mmCIF file of all heavy atoms in Angstrom:
data_model
loop_
_atom_site.group_PDB
_atom_site.id
_atom_site.type_symbol
_atom_site.label_atom_id
_atom_site.label_comp_id
_atom_site.label_asym_id
_atom_site.label_seq_id
_atom_site.Cartn_x
_atom_site.Cartn_y
_atom_site.Cartn_z
ATOM 1 N N ALA P 172 -80.595 -33.010 70.079
ATOM 2 C CA ALA P 172 -80.921 -33.073 68.658
ATOM 3 C C ALA P 172 -82.403 -32.780 68.431
ATOM 4 O O ALA P 172 -82.773 -32.091 67.472
ATOM 5 C CB ALA P 172 -80.559 -34.442 68.101
ATOM 6 N N LYS P 173 -83.253 -33.272 69.317
ATOM 7 C CA LYS P 173 -84.693 -33.016 69.199
ATOM 8 C C LYS P 173 -85.005 -31.557 69.504
ATOM 9 O O LYS P 173 -85.823 -30.936 68.818
ATOM 10 C CB LYS P 173 -85.456 -33.939 70.149
ATOM 11 C CG LYS P 173 -85.411 -35.406 69.761
ATOM 12 C CD LYS P 173 -86.188 -36.271 70.746
ATOM 13 C CE LYS P 173 -86.162 -37.733 70.333
ATOM 14 N NZ LYS P 173 -86.870 -38.603 71.311
ATOM 15 N N GLU P 174 -84.374 -31.014 70.533
ATOM 16 C CA GLU P 174 -84.624 -29.622 70.912
ATOM 17 C C GLU P 174 -84.214 -28.651 69.805
ATOM 18 O O GLU P 174 -84.886 -27.645 69.568
ATOM 19 C CB GLU P 174 -83.868 -29.290 72.194
ATOM 20 C CG GLU P 174 -84.430 -29.958 73.442
ATOM 21 C CD GLU P 174 -83.620 -29.620 74.682
ATOM 22 O OE1 GLU P 174 -82.557 -28.968 74.544
ATOM 23 O OE2 GLU P 174 -84.052 -29.997 75.789
ATOM 24 N N PHE P 175 -83.118 -28.958 69.122
ATOM 25 C CA PHE P 175 -82.629 -28.089 68.056
ATOM 26 C C PHE P 175 -83.283 -28.410 66.705
ATOM 27 O O PHE P 175 -83.062 -27.694 65.729
ATOM 28 C CB PHE P 175 -81.111 -28.204 67.934
ATOM 29 C CG PHE P 175 -80.358 -27.384 68.952
ATOM 30 C CD1 PHE P 175 -80.156 -27.853 70.238
ATOM 31 C CD2 PHE P 175 -79.843 -26.135 68.627
ATOM 32 C CE1 PHE P 175 -79.459 -27.112 71.183
ATOM 33 C CE2 PHE P 175 -79.148 -25.374 69.552
ATOM 34 C CZ PHE P 175 -78.953 -25.862 70.846
ATOM 35 N N GLY P 176 -84.049 -29.491 66.661
ATOM 36 C CA GLY P 176 -84.723 -29.854 65.419
ATOM 37 C C GLY P 176 -83.787 -30.331 64.336
ATOM 38 O O GLY P 176 -84.012 -30.065 63.142
ATOM 39 N N VAL P 177 -82.748 -31.045 64.721
ATOM 40 C CA VAL P 177 -81.747 -31.522 63.757
ATOM 41 C C VAL P 177 -82.292 -32.723 62.987
ATOM 42 O O VAL P 177 -82.676 -33.724 63.577
ATOM 43 C CB VAL P 177 -80.439 -31.908 64.478
ATOM 44 C CG1 VAL P 177 -79.441 -32.493 63.490
ATOM 45 C CG2 VAL P 177 -79.846 -30.694 65.177
ATOM 46 N N THR P 178 -82.294 -32.610 61.664
ATOM 47 C CA THR P 178 -82.767 -33.712 60.810
ATOM 48 C C THR P 178 -81.692 -34.182 59.835
ATOM 49 O O THR P 178 -81.890 -35.164 59.127
ATOM 50 C CB THR P 178 -83.999 -33.272 60.011
ATOM 51 O OG1 THR P 178 -83.672 -32.109 59.229
ATOM 52 C CG2 THR P 178 -85.155 -32.935 60.952
ATOM 53 N N GLY P 179 -80.584 -33.489 59.772
ATOM 54 C CA GLY P 179 -79.485 -33.873 58.892
ATOM 55 C C GLY P 179 -78.166 -33.370 59.427
ATOM 56 O O GLY P 179 -78.121 -32.500 60.301
ATOM 57 N N PHE P 180 -77.084 -33.921 58.883
ATOM 58 C CA PHE P 180 -75.742 -33.584 59.360
ATOM 59 C C PHE P 180 -74.870 -33.155 58.177
ATOM 60 O O PHE P 180 -75.054 -33.655 57.067
ATOM 61 C CB PHE P 180 -75.113 -34.790 60.053
ATOM 62 C CG PHE P 180 -75.838 -35.250 61.287
ATOM 63 C CD1 PHE P 180 -76.968 -36.051 61.190
ATOM 64 C CD2 PHE P 180 -75.400 -34.870 62.536
ATOM 65 C CE1 PHE P 180 -77.641 -36.475 62.324
ATOM 66 C CE2 PHE P 180 -76.069 -35.286 63.686
ATOM 67 C CZ PHE P 180 -77.194 -36.090 63.566
ATOM 68 N N PRO P 181 -73.906 -32.238 58.409
ATOM 69 C CA PRO P 181 -73.685 -31.499 59.656
ATOM 70 C C PRO P 181 -74.692 -30.350 59.796
ATOM 71 O O PRO P 181 -75.208 -29.840 58.812
ATOM 72 C CB PRO P 181 -72.275 -30.950 59.487
ATOM 73 C CG PRO P 181 -72.167 -30.701 58.008
ATOM 74 C CD PRO P 181 -72.936 -31.842 57.366
ATOM 75 N N LYS P 182 -74.933 -29.967 61.019
ATOM 76 C CA LYS P 182 -75.799 -28.829 61.320
ATOM 77 C C LYS P 182 -75.170 -28.104 62.497
ATOM 78 O O LYS P 182 -74.744 -28.735 63.470
ATOM 79 C CB LYS P 182 -77.209 -29.302 61.690
ATOM 80 C CG LYS P 182 -78.222 -28.172 61.850
ATOM 81 C CD LYS P 182 -78.588 -27.536 60.509
ATOM 82 C CE LYS P 182 -79.689 -26.495 60.678
ATOM 83 N NZ LYS P 182 -80.041 -25.863 59.380
ATOM 84 N N TYR P 183 -75.097 -26.781 62.395
ATOM 85 C CA TYR P 183 -74.502 -26.034 63.501
ATOM 86 C C TYR P 183 -75.334 -24.797 63.813
ATOM 87 O O TYR P 183 -76.011 -24.227 62.955
ATOM 88 C CB TYR P 183 -73.048 -25.651 63.213
ATOM 89 C CG TYR P 183 -72.789 -25.004 61.873
ATOM 90 C CD1 TYR P 183 -72.913 -23.636 61.699
ATOM 91 C CD2 TYR P 183 -72.389 -25.781 60.782
ATOM 92 C CE1 TYR P 183 -72.653 -23.033 60.487
ATOM 93 C CE2 TYR P 183 -72.136 -25.193 59.555
ATOM 94 C CZ TYR P 183 -72.267 -23.822 59.411
ATOM 95 O OH TYR P 183 -72.015 -23.232 58.199
ATOM 96 N N PHE P 184 -75.285 -24.425 65.090
ATOM 97 C CA PHE P 184 -76.067 -23.320 65.616
ATOM 98 C C PHE P 184 -75.162 -22.393 66.408
ATOM 99 O O PHE P 184 -74.165 -22.826 66.995
ATOM 100 C CB PHE P 184 -77.173 -23.827 66.548
ATOM 101 C CG PHE P 184 -78.160 -24.747 65.894
ATOM 102 C CD1 PHE P 184 -77.845 -26.087 65.671
ATOM 103 C CD2 PHE P 184 -79.418 -24.286 65.506
ATOM 104 C CE1 PHE P 184 -78.752 -26.945 65.075
ATOM 105 C CE2 PHE P 184 -80.333 -25.144 64.901
ATOM 106 C CZ PHE P 184 -80.004 -26.468 64.690
ATOM 107 N N LEU P 185 -75.546 -21.131 66.446
ATOM 108 C CA LEU P 185 -74.894 -20.180 67.324
ATOM 109 C C LEU P 185 -75.914 -19.820 68.398
ATOM 110 O O LEU P 185 -77.048 -19.439 68.080
ATOM 111 C CB LEU P 185 -74.472 -18.924 66.559
ATOM 112 C CG LEU P 185 -73.382 -18.070 67.222
ATOM 113 C CD1 LEU P 185 -72.067 -18.835 67.245
ATOM 114 C CD2 LEU P 185 -73.212 -16.745 66.474
ATOM 115 N N THR P 186 -75.542 -19.992 69.674
ATOM 116 C CA THR P 186 -76.453 -19.697 70.780
ATOM 117 C C THR P 186 -75.758 -18.830 71.815
ATOM 118 O O THR P 186 -74.528 -18.716 71.824
ATOM 119 C CB THR P 186 -76.941 -20.986 71.479
ATOM 120 O OG1 THR P 186 -75.924 -21.460 72.372
ATOM 121 C CG2 THR P 186 -77.285 -22.080 70.479
ATOM 122 N N ASP P 187 -76.567 -18.247 72.705
ATOM 123 C CA ASP P 187 -75.976 -17.542 73.831
ATOM 124 C C ASP P 187 -75.855 -18.508 74.999
ATOM 125 O O ASP P 187 -76.142 -19.702 74.869
ATOM 126 C CB ASP P 187 -76.782 -16.293 74.202
ATOM 127 C CG ASP P 187 -78.204 -16.609 74.681
ATOM 128 O OD1 ASP P 187 -78.493 -17.785 74.978
ATOM 129 O OD2 ASP P 187 -79.011 -15.672 74.753
ATOM 130 N N SER P 188 -75.450 -18.005 76.159
ATOM 131 C CA SER P 188 -75.200 -18.878 77.309
ATOM 132 C C SER P 188 -76.458 -19.526 77.858
ATOM 133 O O SER P 188 -76.390 -20.522 78.575
ATOM 134 C CB SER P 188 -74.507 -18.092 78.426
ATOM 135 O OG SER P 188 -75.331 -17.028 78.878
ATOM 136 N N THR P 189 -77.627 -18.987 77.528
ATOM 137 C CA THR P 189 -78.898 -19.548 78.008
ATOM 138 C C THR P 189 -79.463 -20.601 77.072
ATOM 139 O O THR P 189 -80.455 -21.246 77.381
ATOM 140 C CB THR P 189 -79.954 -18.441 78.190
ATOM 141 O OG1 THR P 189 -80.325 -17.909 76.904
ATOM 142 C CG2 THR P 189 -79.419 -17.314 79.056
ATOM 143 N N GLY P 190 -78.843 -20.740 75.895
ATOM 144 C CA GLY P 190 -79.344 -21.686 74.911
ATOM 145 C C GLY P 190 -80.195 -21.051 73.828
ATOM 146 O O GLY P 190 -80.675 -21.730 72.918
ATOM 147 N N LYS P 191 -80.395 -19.733 73.906
ATOM 148 C CA LYS P 191 -81.172 -19.026 72.882
ATOM 149 C C LYS P 191 -80.451 -19.096 71.545
ATOM 150 O O LYS P 191 -79.282 -18.753 71.427
ATOM 151 C CB LYS P 191 -81.372 -17.565 73.284
ATOM 152 C CG LYS P 191 -82.118 -16.750 72.247
ATOM 153 C CD LYS P 191 -82.210 -15.287 72.661
ATOM 154 C CE LYS P 191 -82.900 -14.456 71.586
ATOM 155 N NZ LYS P 191 -82.958 -13.023 71.957
ATOM 156 N N GLN P 192 -81.164 -19.548 70.506
ATOM 157 C CA GLN P 192 -80.569 -19.675 69.188
ATOM 158 C C GLN P 192 -80.455 -18.306 68.513
ATOM 159 O O GLN P 192 -81.409 -17.545 68.450
ATOM 160 C CB GLN P 192 -81.389 -20.623 68.324
ATOM 161 C CG GLN P 192 -81.368 -22.065 68.810
ATOM 162 C CD GLN P 192 -82.075 -23.008 67.846
ATOM 163 O OE1 GLN P 192 -82.152 -22.749 66.649
ATOM 164 N NE2 GLN P 192 -82.592 -24.103 68.371
ATOM 165 N N LEU P 193 -79.267 -18.024 67.993
ATOM 166 C CA LEU P 193 -79.003 -16.771 67.310
ATOM 167 C C LEU P 193 -78.959 -16.952 65.793
ATOM 168 O O LEU P 193 -79.308 -16.034 65.049
ATOM 169 C CB LEU P 193 -77.672 -16.190 67.790
ATOM 170 C CG LEU P 193 -77.525 -16.027 69.308
ATOM 171 C CD1 LEU P 193 -76.100 -15.618 69.660
ATOM 172 C CD2 LEU P 193 -78.519 -15.004 69.825
ATOM 173 N N ALA P 194 -78.517 -18.131 65.349
ATOM 174 C CA ALA P 194 -78.430 -18.428 63.916
ATOM 175 C C ALA P 194 -78.127 -19.906 63.742
ATOM 176 O O ALA P 194 -77.705 -20.588 64.686
ATOM 177 C CB ALA P 194 -77.350 -17.588 63.246
#
Side-chain angles (χ1 to χ4, degrees):
K173 292 180 179 178
E174 289 179 354
F175 279 82
V177 176
T178 57
F180 297 81
K182 187 71 175 179
Y183 49 87
F184 299 79
L185 200 67
T186 79
D187 64 14
S188 62
T189 68
K191 178 184 177 182
Q192 293 186 27
L193 306 172

